[in-house]
Amino acid sequence: TPTMGAFLQHLPKGFVGREGRVTDGTIYVAVEGRGRTVIDGEEFVWGPNDVFVVPGWRRYRHEAREDAILFSLSDRPVQQALGLWRDEVGALS
């Protein structure tokens, strides 16, 4: 739909993302692989079929213990269309 954005991310084994934050809230599904996401200092360990949410404007980063695929869904397109979306340097956008 024009108001929702869907993304697939491949995180290679050993990947450590830079911490950042974005205004859109994002739902993630671990399609395959294992890793963790740190949200405002709290660790969320994930594996295949796990679902987790990164609320808007919270500091986060992804890390992969093995090759991983994350599917995500967010309201970024509508925020961009309305001129509301923003990110902070280092965000995984």
Side-chain angles (χ1 to χ4, degrees), residues 60-73:
Y60 76 100
R61 76 174 182 277
H62 298 302
E63 300 177 6
R65 289 190 313 201
E66 55 190 58
D67 282 345
I69 305 260
L70 291 179
F71 171 78
S72 63
L73 205 63

Side-chain angles (χ1 to χ4, degrees), residues 9-74:
Q9 293 175 291
H10 171 248
L11 307 178
K13 181 179 180 178
F15 174 85
V16 177
R18 290 181 292 171
E19 186 176 82
R21 59 186 181 170
V22 292
T23 55
D24 54 317
T26 305
I27 301 166
Y28 287 92
V29 179
V31 177
E32 59 185 56
R34 298 188 182 284
R36 72 181 194 138
T37 298
V38 179
I39 306 168
D40 280 343
E42 187 173 351
E43 176 183 77
F44 295 87
V45 176
W46 45 261
N49 301 316
D50 285 340
V51 178
F52 62 96
V53 174
V54 176
W57 211 240
R58 301 287 177 96
R59 295 190 178 283
Y60 76 100
R61 76 174 182 277
H62 298 302
E63 300 177 6
R65 289 190 313 201
E66 55 190 58
D67 282 345
I69 305 260
L70 291 179
F71 171 78
S72 63
L73 205 63
S74 82

